[in-house]
Amino acid sequence: MSAVAVSSGFTAESFDAFIAVRNEPVWLKAIRRAAWKQFLELPLPSRREEEWMRTDIRLFKLDKFAPAGQPQTVDSAAAPAPLLTAGVDLGGSMTVVNGAVRDASLIDEFKQKGVLFGSLDALVAEHGEKLQPYFERKLVNSSADKFAALHAACWTGGTLLYVPRGVALEKPLHNIAALVGANAAGGVNPVDFSKILVILEDGAQATLLSETAGDNAPSLHCGSIELFVGPNARLRYVNLQHWGSGTWHFAHQKASVDRSGSLQWTIGALGSRLAKVNQHVALAGEYAEAQVNGVMFTEGRQHLSYHTLQHHEQPHCTSDLLYKGALQDDSRLVWRGMIRVDKDAQKTNAYQRDDNLMLSDGSRADSIPGLEIEADDVRCTHGATAGRVDESQIFYARSRGLTRKEAIRMIVAGFFQQVFDRIEMESVREALGLAIGRRIREYS
């Protein structure tokens, strides 16, 4: 089916053209239209706001982009090769290019157990009644900012993983979203508005490997991740952000972990021109557990800003967040973390830490940990560090025959090892280590 050309920018005409080609339930189109109204009413964030004061988006021009319209055909050779799946026996996979689902597969064994995996666009049309309650719960609040509203109104190329009650998936699933070249729809820059929706019912277990990739052409990602971890369910989720250097990356990501549920959420943040990401975890049921691991590496003039929230809503819950970042050239990392403990969330055990390693004089890291505690029987700790490579360590390594670059690479690998040790999948550890190692340059 041919693509529908849309006018430049997110206008009433481009949104109407976008909605017109969507094969979706009436209730979902109503959600989109409500979010579009919010988008029109909300201003672009500015540095006058506390959350955005360290992130300057004045060079970002929203009118250079537009809704994807009817998904276009993309040459299969355009999609970059995935990094996370080397040697992994997958139970299913999915590819999205420029906001269009190119292919999706799921093994028969999982299909027979009632698992749904693939294009959210297609599956919501087929299983709307099953998915409607999760859309209406809105883990990601569409009124959070203009980007959240825009995504809720215009998402495409979404990925759904739904695992029924008591089903354990022994093989991991994988999806990749890519932004490449010029968009065929109307000649505007490529966009990715992919939405990842994961639903694990009571006692279900699954592993999802999710990654992004792209070339260095100007592009926009405005996305969301919503993870519903049911009672006694176990989810292992890996999210590798590897957009090209021309991509503006805005995302809201939230998980809700129910009673005795468990979530291990690993992020790798390596790409994009500028990234502003909100990553929230809600411990929504008693005895829920969440471990959040973050590996970040910046270069050039990259600016990555990640805001995390560990929200303890119920008693006897545990959360553990560890972020580590390394910076070179004139890049900048911003991390702002918050542990929030509600009044009824007694017996909370929460920890957060952010460490940064500066590899150049021009790099800068801002770490702002925080606590908001209303309960009186809790254990909450936090910390943040920033420092440079120890020249004595480099000297020691060089005295054993290593070059300066090899020495720095070894020191950086050791810096990240604490996070790598928390990652259970060898393919993920190796992919992150190799991706970081290729970027390290020598400094005198």
Side-chain angles (χ1 to χ4, degrees):
M1 195 175 293
S2 61
V4 174
V6 295
S7 59
S8 179
F10 290 90
T11 64
E13 293 78 14
S14 66
F15 180 71
D16 288 341
F18 169 78
I19 285 288
V21 297
R22 306 295 298 175
N23 176 28
E24 294 176 339
V26 173
W27 59 264
L28 181 51
K29 289 191 175 184
I31 291 176
R32 289 188 184 276
R33 293 191 183 279
W36 178 255
K37 184 175 183 293
Q38 292 174 320
F39 165 73
L40 296 177
E41 295 171 349
L42 290 167
L44 274 175
S46 73
R47 299 183 74 178
R48 293 187 297 272
E49 303 171 39
E50 174 68 23
E51 185 171 323
W52 290 82
M53 65 184 300
R54 295 172 178 82
T55 301
D56 188 355
I57 59 170
R58 286 177 293 178
L59 294 179
F60 172 71
K61 306 299 180 185
L62 188 58
D63 60 4
K64 300 296 184 182
F65 306 93
Q70 185 69 27
Q72 63 264 17
T73 300
V74 182
D75 185 353
S76 61
L83 299 178
L84 297 178
T85 59
V88 179
D89 184 14
L90 296 173
S93 63
M94 180 176 169
T95 303
V96 177
V97 180
N98 292 357
V101 177
R102 198 189 71 200
D103 57 55
S105 65
L106 181 68
I107 61 175
D108 290 339
E109 176 188 347
F110 289 176
K111 291 179 181 178
Q112 293 168 4
K113 293 179 178 180
V115 176
L116 302 177
F117 177 71
S119 168
L120 181 58
D121 309 59
L123 291 171
V124 74
E126 185 178 352
H127 302 276
E129 290 185 1
K130 181 178 292 186
L131 301 179
Q132 183 177 357
Y134 297 97
F135 276 88
E136 293 177 342
R137 279 183 62 180
K138 294 181 180 178
L139 281 186
V140 172
N141 184 358
S142 59
S143 63
D145 58 33
K146 195 174 187 72
F147 295 110
L150 178 59
H151 170 78
C154 299
W155 66 264
T156 58
T159 299
L160 170 69
L161 171 59
Y162 169 84
V163 185
R165 181 190 305 268
V167 174
L169 306 185
E170 296 181 356
K171 296 182 179 180
L173 307 169
H174 175 265
N175 77 298
I176 182 170
L179 280 166
V180 292
N183 195 332
V188 295
N189 293 320
V191 298
D192 178 273
F193 276 43
S194 55
K195 177 186 185 72
I196 295 177
L197 176 60
V198 178
I199 303 165
L200 268 59
E201 290 192 336
D202 300 12
Q205 298 183 34
T207 297
L208 177 60
L209 309 178
S210 179
E211 58 184 299
T212 66
D215 56 28
N216 297 326
S219 56
L220 168 65
H221 168 75
C222 184
S224 75
I225 296 171
E226 294 184 308
L227 311 176
F228 292 88
V229 182
N232 299 294
R234 301 286 183 271
L235 174 63
R236 184 168 54 180
Y237 179 64
V238 179
N239 175 220
L240 173 58
Q241 186 273 100
H242 202 248
W243 295 119
S245 61
T247 300
W248 298 86
H249 172 49
F250 304 102
H252 286 265
Q253 307 169 350
K254 185 172 180 179
S256 177
V257 187
D258 211 330
R259 181 181 177 87
S260 299
S262 175
L263 168 68
Q264 185 189 66
W265 189 347
T266 299
I267 71 142
L270 305 179
S272 78
R273 170 180 179 172
L274 178 145
K276 172 63 172 68
V277 177
N278 289 73
Q279 184 192 25
H280 295 178
V281 176
L283 289 307
E286 287 189 74
Y287 300 99
E289 298 179 355
Q291 183 191 79
V292 182
N293 309 313
V295 173
M296 313 174 83
F297 192 95
T298 56
E299 61 183 352
R301 298 187 64 83
Q302 277 184 287
H303 178 109
L304 304 187
S305 179
Y306 278 66
H307 290 208
T308 66
L309 171 62
Q310 298 152 258
H311 189 183
H312 286 253
E313 301 176 359
Q314 298 295 327
H316 302 283
C317 294
T318 302
S319 67
D320 181 3
L321 180 145
L322 177 61
Y323 265 40
K324 283 183 175 283
L327 307 85
Q328 60 186 11
D329 303 325
D330 296 316
S331 60
R332 183 172 181 181
L333 273 178
V334 179
W335 171 79
R336 183 177 182 178
M338 179 65 67
I339 295 174
R340 181 175 300 152
V341 182
D342 291 350
K343 184 177 181 179
D344 294 333
Q346 304 293 348
K347 303 296 182 180
T348 283
N349 186 359
Y351 174 79
Q352 64 176 199
R353 183 177 180 89
D354 176 62
D355 297 323
N356 294 287
L357 183 64
M358 325 297 285
L359 301 177
S360 66
D361 293 336
S363 59
R364 173 176 170 176
D366 295 298
S367 297
I368 309 104
L371 301 174
E372 293 181 0
I373 302 174
E374 297 184 3
D376 56 13
D377 186 5
V378 303
R379 182 178 183 273
C380 297
T381 55
H382 64 186
T385 66
R388 301 193 180 279
V389 174
D390 189 336
E391 287 295 329
S392 64
Q393 292 180 342
I394 295 177
F395 178 82
Y396 178 83
R398 295 189 68 183
S399 70
R400 265 75 183 156
L402 298 179
T403 66
R404 182 177 180 85
K405 184 175 181 179
E406 290 170 340
I408 293 174
R409 182 180 289 116
M410 183 177 66
I411 292 169
V412 171
F415 171 74
F416 283 117
Q417 192 61 48
Q418 186 180 3
V419 179
F420 291 163
D421 287 343
R422 292 158 62 119
I423 301 172
E424 299 174 11
M425 295 193 65
E426 183 178 358
S427 64
V428 176
R429 292 195 302 268
E430 291 183 354
L432 290 173
L434 289 173
I436 291 170
R438 285 195 293 265
R439 289 175 169 230
I440 295 174
R441 291 190 289 278
E442 182 174 341
Y443 292 91
S444 59

